[in-house]
Amino acid sequence: MNESTRLDVVGRPARRKDAGEKVRGKAGYTTDISLPGMLHAKVLRSAIAHARLAGIDASAARELPGVHAVLTRDEIGDDIAPTYGYFIKDQPIVALDKVRYEGDTVAAVAAETEAIADAALRLIEVEYEELPPVASIEDALSDGAAELFEEAPMGIVPAYGAGASAELRPRSNVCYRFNYETGSPDVFETCDHVFEDTFHFSRMQHFHLEPFAAVAQWLDGDRIQVSTSCQNPFALRKELGRVFKLPENNISVRVPFVGGGFGSKNNCKAEPIAILLARMTGRPVRFALTHDENFLTNTQHAAILKLKTGVMKDGTLVARDSEIFLDSGAYSDASPLVAEKAGYRIPGPYRYRHIRTSCYCVMTNTAPAGPFRGFGGTQTSWACESQMDMIAGRLGIDPLEFRMKNLIDLGEPFVPGESGMDSDLREGLELVAREIGYRERKRNPLPNRGVGLALGFKDGGGVNKPAQARVKVSTFGDIFLHCGTVEIGQGAHSALAAVVAEILGAPAGRVRYMPINTDHTPFDQGTNASSAISVMGQAVERAARSLRAQVLDFAADRLGAEPQDLDLEDWHIRKGNEALPLAPMIMGYFGGTGWEFTADGFHKAETDHAAPLETQCVFWELGWGAADIEVDPDTGLITVHKLVVSGDAGQAINPLVCRGQDEGAAVMGLGQALFEEMVYDGTRLMNGDALAYRVPMAQDLPQEFVSITQEQGHGPGPFGAKGMGEGGMLPVAPAIANALFDATGVRVAALPLSPPRVKAALEKNS
Amino acid sequence: MNESTRLDVVGRPARRKDAGEKVRGKAGYTTDISLPGMLHAKVLRSAIAHARLAGIDASAARELPGVHAVLTRDEIGDDIAPTYGYFIKDQPIVALDKVRYEGDTVAAVAAETEAIADAALRLIEVEYEELPPVASIEDALSDGAAELFEEAPMGIVPAYGAGASAELRPRSNVCYRFNYETGSPDVFETCDHVFEDTFHFSRMQHFHLEPFAAVAQWLDGDRIQVSTSCQNPFALRKELGRVFKLPENNISVRVPFVGGGFGSKNNCKAEPIAILLARMTGRPVRFALTHDENFLTNTQHAAILKLKTGVMKDGTLVARDSEIFLDSGAYSDASPLVAEKAGYRIPGPYRYRHIRTSCYCVMTNTAPAGPFRGFGGTQTSWACESQMDMIAGRLGIDPLEFRMKNLIDLGEPFVPGESGMDSDLREGLELVAREIGYRERKRNPLPNRGVGLALGFKDGGGVNKPAQARVKVSTFGDIFLHCGTVEIGQGAHSALAAVVAEILGAPAGRVRYMPINTDHTPFDQGTNASSAISVMGQAVERAARSLRAQVLDFAADRLGAEPQDLDLEDWHIRKGNEALPLAPMIMGYFGGTGWEFTADGFHKAETDHAAPLETQCVFWELGWGAADIEVDPDTGLITVHKLVVSGDAGQAINPLVCRGQDEGAAVMGLGQALFEEMVYDGTRLMNGDALAYRVPMAQDLPQEFVSITQEQGHGPGPFGAKGMGEGGMLPVAPAIANALFDATGVRVAALPLSPPRVKAALEKNS
């Protein structure tokens, strides 16, 4: 390999490493685990949204044959911390004093079979004292609203840098508020126009095909072994250590293949109950939720976004004040972090002289909301990109030109102290505009047809994320890649293995991605924030380069040569025209048992107190989108004739995987744009099952669906790569809403753009 | 911790880390593993010592209900290499063309239960064509002896340094010969006396309480996962890779607790059959041998040792030529390496001007012989130390004085190119002589009583052994120790964890020794040659020191201090009078998920082409012994009134563990000295079961049993430690034989010193 001139593995479309196993049904998921003596768990869920728990009688359930344990608040002793949460420890393993949403966990049973456990649940008698329910953001903030928490649960506020701050429980039913300010609000007075608009954002469920699941067992009474469908095993281990009051070296978190996560599978989900029941029974316990229970466990944040934007008549953006209200549901989960991200991103990738933003996490008696693909960026892109078109329209400027005028340049920081933009935003926007035929259609509009553009935007790679990776190679050149990035379907294993193969001059097939177990897998904060390539990729790259150097140094020493005169090629040392096999060299030096070369790589974004989030963002994740739609004026039905999405992979490690990520994200965005939504009647979820909750299917795809993987080459990852997988989600809904406006002159500021909502808007406008 | 002045953990007697689990019956051994669908294996063993395999009919066995697979030579295809071995690949997984000893593996069955498998074995019909058996070394080397192998199986000869060499199959029924020579044989002509004596050494079985066992399964058809009771998982993985033609990253070898090994549990034992049956059945297969089968699987080497020693009349040793014939049994196993070690060590730790040695591995139709505690050192110490007393007697010099005159000095190399002696040999010898009251008893002998001394000697730590270790510490100071040293009962986990705790300023309880799995455990050649502290200990020490430096650097950076002004104490940074907790510092920098500090340590003895074994030995393992015995002249029964053994731990990491190792080894030596022996009638083992094969029990202990752990401080290991665990075995038999001579004037040159043998010698002498 001569890496300066040629890439042999990276950049080539290749079959995914997990394809064979998955196609043959051999890929092991958590629910495939079967252990001798394993019991099955089920939980009793509250049918009431908000109530004080007056009493529980589980005696009949305990006596049912085949039942091994019933867990209620009465079984929670001082030996554990009974609540968990990312920042605010407000979610109980089972309800303690109250239930806070329909579906809240009241009790759990471990039994010989799931059927017995289900039967036992029906024998548990619960006495509730009902309280007034809080159904929505508006309800929660209204005067005299019932309080979900009478006392603020313990929580922490992260350190923030210049201009950013946060408060815990700034007011009743608000668990967290994030604030950011730069420049001076005085500049609003200098603006030619100030536009204030409000946007509503709907709530989706992640709809991962593999539900939440965990299999737990205790070893020798003081060690936990848990296999789980989880995106962040190390964070989970730390939280389990806190809950179960155990050192981290007594907790082994293992993660098999994960059947989709989209953000939901972070932190405690099925694990605490499985672990506690395993301790109570002395048996392994499997707790696998049903699909319907997923809807009751974690969701996206519905939101209200209020934007006040000051602009000059020539279209120059000047100032933006924003207020965002996130519906956090009944427990805080990752809401504070989503609030931070939404609050930070709401200006979009445009140049302002002043920004002020507040983002509130509002508690309601609905299912808890947590991380979701886009992580606050879906909400903000929806509002920001809708308002961009609205302002352009009001100023009589073309929306494309309006964006082009205000977009920040390549290398320009988003806000003071922040890292420079690492994509040419205009290049991407021009690309999708041209692909959709934007200018031609603006010149020659078609009846009931419209085109719209949007630009999704988020800081990617996570905050402050450290990652470590390890590569080892045995005597005959068999490569082991150890890192904590979970394969959740995104193809990260293939991409990271390709990086290693490229650097070590090996075919990708020589690299095996090793199973994840916190006991020995190098530390990683979690598989989220599109960090696999951008953060872990850097750690993997360094590990592989360090290993390569180690091998070349070893060979140079053996051969009496200089390392720079040698190259590594398919586990041979290339020296001039010779290709010398490494295995005999290794056994000659290390003995017949051979050896393993091992190297670690580390990456962490440096702390920077001048940056608002105290760390400059790892990379900027963009999603450019364009839609060409037709509206049926009689029904309000939108037909998407063509959808264009484009992300910037920096350098595609595996183009097929990149494209898959952008397209998958775009289809998820399409669902949210047009029909996918968790529908509540008050506090009751009306469509919490797969049939009623409608995800996009093949027939929902646009007639023409184009995805373009840009490779602008500015990413921080290996070979210039950037993270993928969330950007494609972001521009779809605003692009379609903008196209709807283009087609009809009607602005719909709430999602989804369903026929009734569109029809009502058309009627109101007519 | 101020390590220059005080040790907090190291050197203190402490409860072993595994004590709790073992006492509570919670320590997991291979046979405790139960997997869903697991089958059980049994093997059919040859009742004939030497025969051509004419045919096998397993059809009836295959049809027995509950039988899932029968493995015979007919199931061995080209997709595997059908034979294995350390250096010479001569041992078939199941018999191919011949059977070569009573107990050789002919076929294997996997069935629902062991009972069904046993029943199936009885249905297998085997047709043998008997061949003349080769029962002993003398038989094997006699003219016209039958040949075990008509063609030499493939094998390798390691590289040797100055004066050493080896040959594969130098003659019929000899698979390997090791040679060493230094100085010139001409010096014999200058000697005042040349003494030639021959010694016979008996064969023991290791008698590990946990028999050989393996549980194997295949994942997705091309990956092996095997848990096994094994001392060298990485070497095993390499050999399994060769046999099953798989890359090493497709083979995961896991080692739970091991219930004793004493050398036997190296390389392939139960694993190939378990793995092959698992492949044939698509189910996990457990193959656990019985105790009786252990006797048919691996044994110590019986030996004949011929010593020719030239000496001056003042007692100065001048020259020694030796020939050693090891009974390797039917397959070579580790015989070549044992031959190397026996051939290298036969001069003992004395100063010569000329040494010449040849050591032959002789094949016989008996159970294969392999590594055994002492590894060639038991055979050579027996012969060398017996002859030392014989020569002293012939010259009329006191044996103690004779030894003192000829012992090499502290720091003096054993042979040219070798590393210096790292114990003061005279100090140790004086210690045991004084403890047994040697000089007083020589002045005032008692009737039928005698005292004897001996010095066991071996190069410890293995040849060319590289080792790697990893220490990681999580946010709250929970320590993970990853290394490949198997806990086989020797207490290595406790000792290595103590080293880590000492260096990191933590209580030993904070360190968890992580389970071994070749997928992720750092590389190690194997748990043998007393290498745990002397080789792995150095790797562990370096890992811990590197980690300590990393943490202090991190803290210095956070605190704006210099690392040398900081100390680490119970996961606090000691800075002057302050003790600052590390966890908040870590989360402040790495974020709320925390971090793990990780460091690797590496050790390998440097290659040195001037050293006969191409590597200077890691350390010298000594065992000094003294015995005070009484002989019953009527029966020949020896009663040991007092036995003194002493090893040099350099620095005892855990004095209780060191003492346990020396005492355990000495009792094993006592068994071999007095009664423990595999008794063959021709090629038939007569006492291959626990009742008939007599290991020492509590009542066999000497009336007075003294062990003294010297801490001379010259070891290469952490804090000056040296390996332990084999030295105590070495001096016991020759010390007792020398005491027997002292008591009776009769020299017995064969083991064991059983009443019939002693009585016969007494009668012959009278």
Side-chain angles (χ1 to χ4, degrees), chain B residues 218-249:
Chain B
W218 287 74
L219 304 176
D220 201 21
D222 67 350
R223 296 207 312 277
I224 295 170
Q225 196 169 290
V226 59
S227 295
T228 172
S229 183
C230 161
Q231 297 180 230
N232 65 350
F234 286 91
L236 175 66
R237 181 186 68 179
K238 183 158 174 278
E239 185 69 342
L240 293 175
R242 193 189 60 80
V243 167
F244 291 98
K245 300 185 178 177
L246 284 176
E248 290 189 81
N249 54 7

Side-chain angles (χ1 to χ4, degrees), chain B residues 665-739:
Chain B
V667 172
M668 213 156 171
L670 187 72
Q672 181 148 38
L674 298 181
F675 47 79
E676 191 177 335
E677 183 189 19
M678 289 176 70
V679 178
Y680 276 89
D681 178 7
T683 54
R684 175 156 300 169
L685 177 62
M686 303 305 289
N687 61 343
D689 61 88
L691 201 61
Y693 180 83
R694 173 101 159 68
V695 295
M697 290 179 285
Q699 77 247 30
D700 297 312
L701 289 184
Q703 278 172 282
E704 224 181 318
F705 182 24
V706 177
S707 80
I708 305 167
T709 305
Q710 299 176 58
E711 297 184 281
Q712 295 195 9
H714 310 300
F719 307 97
K722 294 172 73 167
M724 299 284 293
E726 301 186 89
M729 172 108 194
L730 307 176
V732 180
I736 292 175
N738 291 339

Side-chain angles (χ1 to χ4, degrees), chain A residues 521-532:
Chain A
T521 300
F523 190 90
D524 177 42
Q525 275 213 344
T527 303
N528 37 49
S530 302
S531 61

Side-chain angles (χ1 to χ4, degrees), chain A residues 24 26 220 237-238 248-249 472 478-479 482 510 512 518-520 525 589-590 592 596 604, chain B residues 24 26 220 237-238 248-249 472 478-479 482 512 518-520 525 589-590 592 596 604:
Chain A
R24 285 193 297 274
K26 296 288 187 184
D220 200 20
R237 182 186 66 179
K238 184 157 174 278
E248 290 190 81
N249 55 6
K472 66 175 191 170
D478 304 317
I479 306 170
H482 287 273
R510 293 304 290 270
R512 186 165 164 231
T518 53
D519 280 352
H520 53 73
Q525 275 213 344
Y589 181 73
F590 289 102
E596 286 177 350
K604 179 187 174 300
Chain B
R24 286 193 297 275
K26 296 288 187 184
D220 201 21
R237 181 186 68 179
K238 183 158 174 278
E248 290 189 81
N249 54 7
K472 66 176 191 170
D478 305 316
I479 306 170
H482 287 273
R512 187 167 163 230
T518 53
D519 280 352
H520 52 74
Q525 274 212 344
Y589 181 74
F590 290 103
E596 286 178 349
K604 179 186 173 301

Side-chain angles (χ1 to χ4, degrees), chain B residues 373-599:
Chain B
R373 195 176 205 168
F375 207 91
T378 36
Q379 289 89 346
T380 59
S381 293
W382 166 243
C384 176
E385 290 298 290
S386 291
Q387 204 199 25
M388 285 301 286
D389 265 42
M390 291 163 79
I391 294 171
R394 288 159 184 160
L395 298 178
I397 304 177
D398 175 78
L400 173 58
E401 300 314 312
F402 180 50
R403 285 185 176 83
M404 288 293 192
K405 185 180 184 72
N406 287 289
L407 282 169
I408 60 178
D409 294 327
L410 181 65
E412 182 179 349
F414 163 54
V415 295
E418 187 49 271
S419 54
M421 177 55 55
D422 55 3
S423 286
D424 184 325
L425 303 177
R426 292 184 184 85
E427 183 179 323
L429 194 58
E430 181 62 36
L431 188 72
V432 297
R434 199 173 304 150
E435 176 63 33
I436 206 77
Y438 181 86
R439 291 186 183 84
E440 162 61 18
R441 285 290 296 281
K442 286 289 182 180
R443 280 193 298 273
N444 301 303
L446 302 171
N448 297 322
R449 293 279 291 266
V451 292
L453 301 173
L455 191 54
F457 162 81
K458 62 169 290 194
D459 50 308
V463 176
N464 214 2
K465 281 180 81 88
Q468 196 183 359
R470 182 170 301 129
V471 178
K472 66 176 191 170
V473 188
S474 63
T475 309
F476 294 102
D478 305 316
I479 306 170
F480 302 68
L481 169 58
H482 287 273
C483 76
T485 296
V486 177
E487 180 56 65
I488 51 176
Q490 83 282 45
H493 284 195
S494 307
L496 295 169
V499 169
V500 172
E502 184 69 55
I503 293 168
L504 297 183
R510 293 304 290 270
V511 184
R512 187 167 163 230
Y513 196 103
M514 306 309 292
I516 294 173
N517 178 334
T518 53
D519 280 352
H520 52 74
T521 300
F523 190 90
D524 177 42
Q525 274 212 344
T527 303
N528 38 48
S530 301
S531 61
I533 274 293
S534 59
V535 177
M536 184 55 82
Q538 295 194 61
V540 166
E541 178 182 8
R542 280 168 207 170
R545 290 199 190 280
S546 162
L547 192 114
R548 177 186 164 84
Q550 208 183 109
V551 172
L552 291 180
D553 282 350
F554 165 78
D557 196 50
R558 295 283 88 200
L559 299 171
E562 293 299 317
Q564 62 270 24
D565 298 333
L566 305 178
D567 207 344
L568 188 57
E569 194 178 295
D570 206 10
W571 212 233
H572 285 64
I573 294 295
R574 169 71 63 186
K575 185 187 170 199
N577 287 327
E578 290 177 293
L580 307 159
L582 266 159
M585 242 184 273
I586 292 168
M587 290 188 282
Y589 181 74
F590 290 103
T593 305
W595 177 243
E596 286 178 349
F597 291 98
T598 308

